[in-house]
């Protein structure tokens, strides 16, 4: 039997709602087809945005959406994406599939999408192939109300008021696709670019420097040493890639060993975060600077027959378990992790939504976001877990992962049984208090079960499979399941 003890007297602070953030790049069918179909499409839309997809995004209380990339961001020139759509410059998306990008989705469209979804925008500016002036003027175009030529251009394009964009990334993966820079060079470049990203009016830019990949602590050290004073956030990119780049897994046809490897890599994210956080603590003991995990998720082989540059993959219960592992560890590290953005929203990598023509399906990962919604802006509670391991000789993780928080007197516990075969009996206790009542929701299925356009068996169900005795909750979680229990 596994045991979970929640301690209301111990908290790492508030779980930032931005931990449940998203990322949409000009990549494959994420923006085009997945979100944006244009006003003249037969697919029901509002100002070109798919109604079904926007409604699904909205239902998650999506807090923030990162755009336009990814690697695409460092090739993107924002002026190509404003003004009449028919006159916009066409370019080849050299990062992703070599397709023609007609720039019909640009600044105004992105901010219209955020308006419809009700989320905050997070824009990544171009450092790799863009100029300081270009970035500076983009911020001015977005946020200034002054009567300058740049602002007049915005007015002429139909937008009177400044949008007041807050989250601002200065380059993406500047150690790789964003310019292959050394950390010393990037730190200086960051200092220069961010200096010309001005503050306008009441709006205060939250400036995010490009941070490390995976466990590259040397990058973090140099950035914190040289540029901490002028950053609000430092990004971290870390994907779960079982088999590595050369032997990526199929998203749907995988073995139990693949499953355990995937879970172990996902769980290792906590070690990486703590490594970087320890360095950040030395330069920023007050924890003013947020760690922004702005790309995370499973990266598998593309679906057979699809463009390899489009990164389209199915999404199974394995993905759901990986999402739950990440959220629990992000919640635990909420004293440093301020934002996290799963890659990516629609039709790309660990997508929450898949589309095909006018059809849409919600993936198991989508449902995990739904189950974790209550943690947003709640007070994190320490939660002690005693459980057996699940795995093989090489890869093993705790069979139970969980996290807890409290808001308005209600405690939310999210917990998962990561074992693919065995049920898990769990006893849940509140330290020094008796639990009076509980209700729950659950997602479960075989590790390789998924939803497609014909059949969508994976959905959240009401969960009543527990009893309360002596102030403790006793429950038996099915194999491969994620539950939310409200106490
Ligand atoms: O999310 C796909 C790509 O992965 C992004 O464009 C890039 O930043 C990362 O390498």
């Amino acid at each position: 039997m596994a045991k979970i003890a929640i301690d209301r007297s111990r908290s790492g602070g508030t779980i930032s709602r931005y931990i449940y953030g998203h990322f949409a790049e000009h990549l494959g069918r994420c923006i085009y087809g997945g979100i944006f179909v244009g006003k003249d499409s037969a697919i029901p839309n509002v100002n070109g945005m798919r109604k079904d997809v926007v409604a699904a995004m909205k239902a998650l209380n999506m807090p923030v959406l990162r755009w336009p990339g990814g690697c695409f961001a460092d090739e993107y020139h924002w002026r190509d994406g404003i003004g009449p759509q028919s006159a916009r410059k066409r370019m080849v998306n050299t990062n992703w599939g070599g397709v023609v990008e007609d720039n019909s989705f640009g600044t105004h469209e992105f901010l219209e999408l955020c308006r419809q979804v009700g989320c905050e925008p997070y824009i990544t500016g171009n450092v790799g192939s863009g100029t300081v002036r270009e970035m500076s003027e983009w911020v001015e175009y977005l946020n200034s109300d002054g009567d300058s030529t740049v602002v007049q251009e915005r007015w002429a394009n139909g937008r009177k008021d400044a949008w007041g964009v807050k989250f601002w990334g200065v380059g993406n993966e500047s150690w790789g696709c964003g310019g292959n820079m050394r950390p010393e060079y990037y730190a200086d470049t960051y200092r220069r670019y961010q200096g010309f990203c001005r503050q306008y009016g009441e709006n205060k830019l939250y400036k995010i420097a490009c941070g490390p990949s995976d466990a590259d602590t040397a990058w973090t050290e140099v950035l914190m040493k040289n540029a901490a004073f002028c950053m609000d956030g430092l990004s971290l990119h870390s994907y779960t890639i079982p088999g590595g780049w050369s032997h990526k897994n199929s998203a749907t046809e995988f073995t139990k060993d693949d499953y355990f490897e995937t879970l172990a890599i996902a769980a290792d994210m906590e070690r990486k975060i703590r490594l970087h956080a320890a360095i950040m603590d030395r330069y920023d003991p007050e924890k003013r600077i947020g760690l922004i995990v702005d790309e995370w998720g499973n990266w598998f082989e593309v679906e057979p027959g699809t463009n390899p540059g489009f990164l389209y993959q199915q999404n199974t219960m394995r993905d759901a378990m990986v999402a739950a592992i990440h959220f629990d560890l992000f919640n635990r590290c909420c004293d440093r992790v301020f934002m996290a953005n799963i890659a990516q929203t629609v039709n790309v990598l660990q997508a929450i939504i898949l589309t095909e023509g006018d059809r849409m399906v919600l993936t198991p990962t989508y449902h995990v976001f739904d189950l974790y919604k209550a943690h947003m802006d709640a007070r994190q509670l320490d939660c002690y877990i005693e459980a057996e391991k699940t795995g093989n000789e090489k890869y093993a993780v705790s069979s139970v992962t969980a996290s807890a928080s409290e808001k308005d007197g209600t405690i939310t516990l999210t917990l998962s049984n990561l074992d693919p075969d065995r049920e898990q009996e769990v006893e849940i206790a509140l330290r020094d208090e008796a639990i009076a009542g509980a209700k729950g929701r659950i997602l479960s299925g075989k590790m390789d079960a998924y939803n497609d356009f014909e059949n969508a068996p994976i959905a959240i169900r009401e969960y009543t499979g527990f009893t309360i005795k002596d102030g403790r909750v006793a429950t038996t979680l099915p194999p491969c399941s994620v539950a939310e229990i409200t106490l």
Side-chain angles (χ1 to χ4, degrees):
M1 169 178 312
K3 290 185 178 174
I4 298 179
I6 303 168
D7 189 343
R8 251 177 150 171
S9 68
R10 292 179 61 95
S11 168
T14 301
I15 297 173
S16 161
R17 82 181 87 135
Y18 302 115
I19 283 177
Y20 295 88
H22 295 260
F23 168 38
E25 179 168 10
H26 288 236
L27 195 177
R29 297 185 300 112
C30 183
I31 298 286
Y32 297 110
I35 294 174
F36 182 72
V37 288
K39 287 182 184 154
D40 300 331
S41 170
I43 298 175
N45 70 84
V46 175
N47 295 330
M49 314 298 158
R50 290 180 72 125
K51 278 188 176 176
D52 53 355
V53 170
V54 168
M57 290 165 80
K58 213 174 150 79
L60 289 182
N61 302 340
M62 199 175 265
V64 64
L65 183 61
R66 177 174 181 250
W67 173 85
C71 295
F72 182 78
D74 282 293
E75 274 208 315
Y76 183 63
H77 301 283
W78 68 274
R79 284 189 180 283
D80 297 346
I82 56 171
Q85 281 176 344
S86 57
R88 292 188 191 172
K89 190 170 162 188
R90 293 163 72 82
M91 66 181 278
V92 173
N93 190 335
T94 52
N95 281 294
W96 306 119
V99 292
V100 170
E101 160 69 56
D102 68 3
N103 277 304
S104 53
F105 188 93
T107 299
H108 290 250
E109 289 76 17
F110 172 60
L111 290 156
E112 166 62 8
L113 170 66
C114 293
R115 186 194 68 77
Q116 289 187 25
V117 172
C119 67
E120 289 180 58
Y122 166 13
I123 295 182
T124 301
N126 181 346
V127 169
S129 68
T131 63
V132 173
R133 177 177 176 175
E134 185 180 355
M135 188 181 290
S136 172
E137 289 188 349
W138 199 3
V139 175
E140 184 183 358
Y141 187 87
L142 292 161
N143 289 351
S144 171
D145 275 320
D147 187 5
S148 68
T149 305
V150 171
V151 174
Q152 285 169 6
E153 216 176 334
R154 185 186 76 221
W155 295 341
N157 288 329
R159 173 77 190 192
K160 180 70 185 128
D161 296 334
W163 281 284
V165 170
K166 177 169 148 193
F167 296 114
W168 192 260
V170 180
N172 170 75
E173 297 193 352
S174 304
W175 36 262
C177 64
N180 283 306
M181 301 177 205
R182 293 173 304 113
E184 294 78 8
Y185 181 79
Y186 173 74
D188 283 347
T189 305
Y190 171 79
R191 289 164 60 142
R192 177 164 169 241
Y193 273 70
Q194 67 78 32
F196 295 93
C197 296
R198 305 292 191 196
Q199 309 287 5
Y200 294 99
E202 297 290 290
N203 184 60
K204 177 153 182 342
L205 275 187
Y206 183 100
K207 298 177 187 174
I208 301 167
C210 166
S213 165
D214 292 316
D216 182 359
T217 48
W219 183 279
T220 305
E221 182 77 41
V222 174
L223 262 289
M224 289 302 294
K225 183 170 180 203
N226 296 297
F229 73 94
C230 58
M231 68 170 84
D232 299 296
L234 182 71
S235 70
L236 165 65
H237 288 188
S238 187
Y239 284 96
T240 300
I241 313 170
W245 289 110
S246 49
H247 295 94
K248 291 199 290 290
N249 277 197
S250 152
T252 51
E253 285 168 29
F254 53 89
T255 63
K256 223 164 269 176
D257 288 338
D258 295 331
Y259 174 84
F260 292 132
E261 181 183 354
T262 311
L263 267 44
I265 298 172
D268 192 43
M269 176 68 107
E270 185 158 356
R271 180 187 63 90
K272 295 173 201 162
I273 288 175
R274 292 194 188 280
L275 277 176
H276 296 298
I279 296 170
M280 294 174 82
D281 284 351
R282 275 197 275 115
Y283 294 95
D284 173 37
E286 297 81 29
K287 300 185 194 288
R288 180 187 62 79
I289 299 172
L291 188 61
I292 309 292
V293 191
D294 58 20
E295 289 188 28
W296 68 270
N298 284 329
W299 194 316
F300 300 134
E301 201 46 80
V302 298
E303 286 305 301
T306 63
N307 185 330
F310 281 15
L311 309 187
Y312 177 73
Q313 63 191 43
Q314 244 300 353
N315 195 290
T316 64
M317 278 304 292
R318 173 173 63 162
D319 293 84
M321 310 319 288
V322 164
I325 289 171
H326 277 88
F327 291 148
D328 287 336
L329 69 89
F330 291 154
N331 288 349
R332 274 195 292 279
C333 300
C334 68
D335 60 334
R336 190 56 90 172
V337 177
F338 180 66
M339 188 192 287
N341 310 84
I342 192 170
Q344 300 192 6
T345 316
V346 190
N347 294 332
V348 170
L349 298 176
Q350 191 175 345
I352 57 165
I353 298 167
L354 302 176
T355 67
E356 200 174 83
D358 63 354
R359 298 190 292 174
M360 178 191 86
V361 71
L362 304 179
T363 67
T365 300
Y366 179 95
H367 295 303
V368 180
F369 270 91
D370 195 340
L371 289 171
Y372 276 70
K373 275 195 301 203
H375 288 310
M376 287 193 240
D377 291 333
R379 180 172 170 264
Q380 182 264 353
L381 301 179
D382 278 2
C383 158
Y384 304 91
I385 305 165
E386 201 181 285
E388 284 175 1
K389 296 239 174 205
T390 181
N392 56 25
E393 279 179 5
K394 200 162 171 203
Y395 299 105
V397 292
S398 167
S399 56
V400 173
T401 172
S403 59
S405 70
E406 179 172 25
K407 191 158 56 183
D408 304 328
T410 300
I411 295 175
T412 300
L413 173 73
T414 43
L415 72 168
S416 306
N417 176 9
L418 301 175
D419 195 289
D421 302 313
R422 283 177 302 175
E423 290 182 340
Q424 181 73 57
E425 282 179 43
V426 188
E427 185 190 79
I428 302 159
L430 257 184
R431 193 179 158 211
D432 299 334
E433 280 177 77
I435 297 172
K439 61 183 184 149
R441 300 189 295 154
I442 194 163
L443 187 76
S444 65
K446 288 171 66 176
M447 68 177 185
D448 53 359
Y450 58 88
N451 293 336
D452 63 22
F453 299 98
E454 276 72 45
N455 193 14
I458 308 295
I460 295 176
R461 290 176 283 116
E462 189 189 350
Y463 186 50
T464 50
F466 43 76
T467 52
I468 301 180
K469 201 170 156 222
D470 301 331
R472 289 161 189 242
V473 173
T475 186
T476 304
L477 289 176
C480 215
S481 61
V482 186
E484 177 211 32
I485 297 183
T486 308
L487 307 172

PDB file of all heavy atoms in Angstrom, residues 170-184:
ATOM      1  N   VAL A 170      13.934  37.049 -25.156  1.00  0.00           N
ATOM      2  CA  VAL A 170      15.004  37.647 -25.968  1.00  0.00           C
ATOM      3  C   VAL A 170      15.786  36.501 -26.621  1.00  0.00           C
ATOM      4  O   VAL A 170      16.790  36.032 -26.112  1.00  0.00           O
ATOM      5  CB  VAL A 170      15.891  38.558 -25.091  1.00  0.00           C
ATOM      6  CG1 VAL A 170      17.013  39.197 -25.920  1.00  0.00           C
ATOM      7  CG2 VAL A 170      15.040  39.650 -24.450  1.00  0.00           C
ATOM      8  N   GLY A 171      15.249  36.048 -27.751  1.00  0.00           N
ATOM      9  CA  GLY A 171      15.869  34.934 -28.476  1.00  0.00           C
ATOM     10  C   GLY A 171      15.392  33.587 -27.963  1.00  0.00           C
ATOM     11  O   GLY A 171      14.831  33.470 -26.860  1.00  0.00           O
ATOM     12  N   ASN A 172      15.573  32.578 -28.790  1.00  0.00           N
ATOM     13  CA  ASN A 172      15.203  31.206 -28.445  1.00  0.00           C
ATOM     14  C   ASN A 172      16.384  30.286 -28.721  1.00  0.00           C
ATOM     15  O   ASN A 172      16.995  30.358 -29.798  1.00  0.00           O
ATOM     16  CB  ASN A 172      14.010  30.766 -29.311  1.00  0.00           C
ATOM     17  CG  ASN A 172      13.736  29.270 -29.187  1.00  0.00           C
ATOM     18  OD1 ASN A 172      13.193  28.811 -28.188  1.00  0.00           O
ATOM     19  ND2 ASN A 172      14.140  28.497 -30.199  1.00  0.00           N
ATOM     20  N   GLU A 173      16.699  29.440 -27.774  1.00  0.00           N
ATOM     21  CA  GLU A 173      17.781  28.471 -27.945  1.00  0.00           C
ATOM     22  C   GLU A 173      18.984  29.124 -28.637  1.00  0.00           C
ATOM     23  O   GLU A 173      19.467  28.661 -29.668  1.00  0.00           O
ATOM     24  CB  GLU A 173      17.297  27.217 -28.701  1.00  0.00           C
ATOM     25  CG  GLU A 173      16.230  26.474 -27.916  1.00  0.00           C
ATOM     26  CD  GLU A 173      15.901  25.073 -28.421  1.00  0.00           C
ATOM     27  OE1 GLU A 173      16.377  24.673 -29.495  1.00  0.00           O
ATOM     28  OE2 GLU A 173      15.147  24.367 -27.716  1.00  0.00           O
ATOM     29  N   SER A 174      19.458  30.187 -28.052  1.00  0.00           N
ATOM     30  CA  SER A 174      20.567  30.937 -28.656  1.00  0.00           C
ATOM     31  C   SER A 174      21.846  30.107 -28.677  1.00  0.00           C
ATOM     32  O   SER A 174      22.783  30.400 -29.421  1.00  0.00           O
ATOM     33  CB  SER A 174      20.778  32.246 -27.895  1.00  0.00           C
ATOM     34  OG  SER A 174      19.560  32.962 -27.901  1.00  0.00           O
ATOM     35  N   TRP A 175      21.879  29.024 -27.911  1.00  0.00           N
ATOM     36  CA  TRP A 175      23.007  28.083 -27.938  1.00  0.00           C
ATOM     37  C   TRP A 175      22.900  27.122 -29.120  1.00  0.00           C
ATOM     38  O   TRP A 175      23.814  26.361 -29.404  1.00  0.00           O
ATOM     39  CB  TRP A 175      23.072  27.276 -26.633  1.00  0.00           C
ATOM     40  CG  TRP A 175      21.722  26.928 -26.069  1.00  0.00           C
ATOM     41  CD1 TRP A 175      21.073  27.596 -25.071  1.00  0.00           C
ATOM     42  CD2 TRP A 175      20.837  25.878 -26.490  1.00  0.00           C
ATOM     43  NE1 TRP A 175      19.840  27.016 -24.836  1.00  0.00           N
ATOM     44  CE2 TRP A 175      19.664  25.951 -25.688  1.00  0.00           C
ATOM     45  CE3 TRP A 175      20.907  24.870 -27.457  1.00  0.00           C
ATOM     46  CZ2 TRP A 175      18.584  25.076 -25.826  1.00  0.00           C
ATOM     47  CZ3 TRP A 175      19.837  23.994 -27.592  1.00  0.00           C
ATOM     48  CH2 TRP A 175      18.691  24.106 -26.785  1.00  0.00           C
ATOM     49  N   GLY A 176      21.752  27.127 -29.814  1.00  0.00           N
ATOM     50  CA  GLY A 176      21.530  26.182 -30.916  1.00  0.00           C
ATOM     51  C   GLY A 176      20.940  26.893 -32.113  1.00  0.00           C
ATOM     52  O   GLY A 176      21.574  27.781 -32.707  1.00  0.00           O
ATOM     53  N   CYS A 177      19.690  26.527 -32.454  1.00  0.00           N
ATOM     54  CA  CYS A 177      19.085  27.084 -33.676  1.00  0.00           C
ATOM     55  C   CYS A 177      18.971  28.607 -33.646  1.00  0.00           C
ATOM     56  O   CYS A 177      18.842  29.241 -34.689  1.00  0.00           O
ATOM     57  CB  CYS A 177      17.708  26.462 -33.925  1.00  0.00           C
ATOM     58  SG  CYS A 177      16.481  26.843 -32.640  1.00  0.00           S
ATOM     59  N   GLY A 178      19.073  29.205 -32.482  1.00  0.00           N
ATOM     60  CA  GLY A 178      18.929  30.665 -32.380  1.00  0.00           C
ATOM     61  C   GLY A 178      20.225  31.419 -32.545  1.00  0.00           C
ATOM     62  O   GLY A 178      20.287  32.626 -32.251  1.00  0.00           O
ATOM     63  N   GLY A 179      21.288  30.767 -33.045  1.00  0.00           N
ATOM     64  CA  GLY A 179      22.517  31.516 -33.313  1.00  0.00           C
ATOM     65  C   GLY A 179      23.814  30.829 -32.900  1.00  0.00           C
ATOM     66  O   GLY A 179      24.894  31.396 -33.080  1.00  0.00           O
ATOM     67  N   ASN A 180      23.707  29.619 -32.332  1.00  0.00           N
ATOM     68  CA  ASN A 180      24.920  28.870 -31.965  1.00  0.00           C
ATOM     69  C   ASN A 180      25.906  29.685 -31.139  1.00  0.00           C
ATOM     70  O   ASN A 180      27.115  29.654 -31.376  1.00  0.00           O
ATOM     71  CB  ASN A 180      25.626  28.359 -33.228  1.00  0.00           C
ATOM     72  CG  ASN A 180      24.910  27.162 -33.785  1.00  0.00           C
ATOM     73  OD1 ASN A 180      24.673  26.185 -33.077  1.00  0.00           O
ATOM     74  ND2 ASN A 180      24.514  27.247 -35.042  1.00  0.00           N
ATOM     75  N   MET A 181      25.391  30.426 -30.193  1.00  0.00           N
ATOM     76  CA  MET A 181      26.271  31.330 -29.433  1.00  0.00           C
ATOM     77  C   MET A 181      26.901  30.626 -28.229  1.00  0.00           C
ATOM     78  O   MET A 181      26.351  29.669 -27.695  1.00  0.00           O
ATOM     79  CB  MET A 181      25.453  32.526 -28.930  1.00  0.00           C
ATOM     80  CG  MET A 181      24.813  33.322 -30.048  1.00  0.00           C
ATOM     81  SD  MET A 181      23.795  34.658 -29.401  1.00  0.00           S
ATOM     82  CE  MET A 181      22.662  34.882 -30.777  1.00  0.00           C
ATOM     83  N   ARG A 182      28.017  31.161 -27.824  1.00  0.00           N
ATOM     84  CA  ARG A 182      28.601  30.745 -26.551  1.00  0.00           C
ATOM     85  C   ARG A 182      27.888  31.528 -25.446  1.00  0.00           C
ATOM     86  O   ARG A 182      27.391  32.633 -25.696  1.00  0.00           O
ATOM     87  CB  ARG A 182      30.097  31.054 -26.517  1.00  0.00           C
ATOM     88  CG  ARG A 182      30.928  30.218 -27.509  1.00  0.00           C
ATOM     89  CD  ARG A 182      32.374  30.660 -27.561  1.00  0.00           C
ATOM     90  NE  ARG A 182      32.460  32.086 -27.889  1.00  0.00           N
ATOM     91  CZ  ARG A 182      32.901  33.015 -27.037  1.00  0.00           C
ATOM     92  NH1 ARG A 182      33.318  32.683 -25.833  1.00  0.00           N
ATOM     93  NH2 ARG A 182      32.943  34.279 -27.389  1.00  0.00           N
ATOM     94  N   PRO A 183      27.857  30.991 -24.223  1.00  0.00           N
ATOM     95  CA  PRO A 183      27.090  31.695 -23.182  1.00  0.00           C
ATOM     96  C   PRO A 183      27.602  33.112 -22.924  1.00  0.00           C
ATOM     97  O   PRO A 183      26.802  34.024 -22.682  1.00  0.00           O
ATOM     98  CB  PRO A 183      27.236  30.804 -21.944  1.00  0.00           C
ATOM     99  CG  PRO A 183      28.316  29.821 -22.258  1.00  0.00           C
ATOM    100  CD  PRO A 183      28.388  29.708 -23.744  1.00  0.00           C
ATOM    101  N   GLU A 184      28.924  33.289 -23.001  1.00  0.00           N
ATOM    102  CA  GLU A 184      29.485  34.627 -22.747  1.00  0.00           C
ATOM    103  C   GLU A 184      28.971  35.612 -23.800  1.00  0.00           C
ATOM    104  O   GLU A 184      28.593  36.742 -23.491  1.00  0.00           O
ATOM    105  CB  GLU A 184      31.024  34.608 -22.798  1.00  0.00           C
ATOM    106  CG  GLU A 184      31.707  33.807 -21.695  1.00  0.00           C
ATOM    107  CD  GLU A 184      31.669  32.296 -21.929  1.00  0.00           C
ATOM    108  OE1 GLU A 184      31.242  31.853 -23.027  1.00  0.00           O
ATOM    109  OE2 GLU A 184      32.055  31.554 -21.000  1.00  0.00           O
TER     110      GLU A 184
END
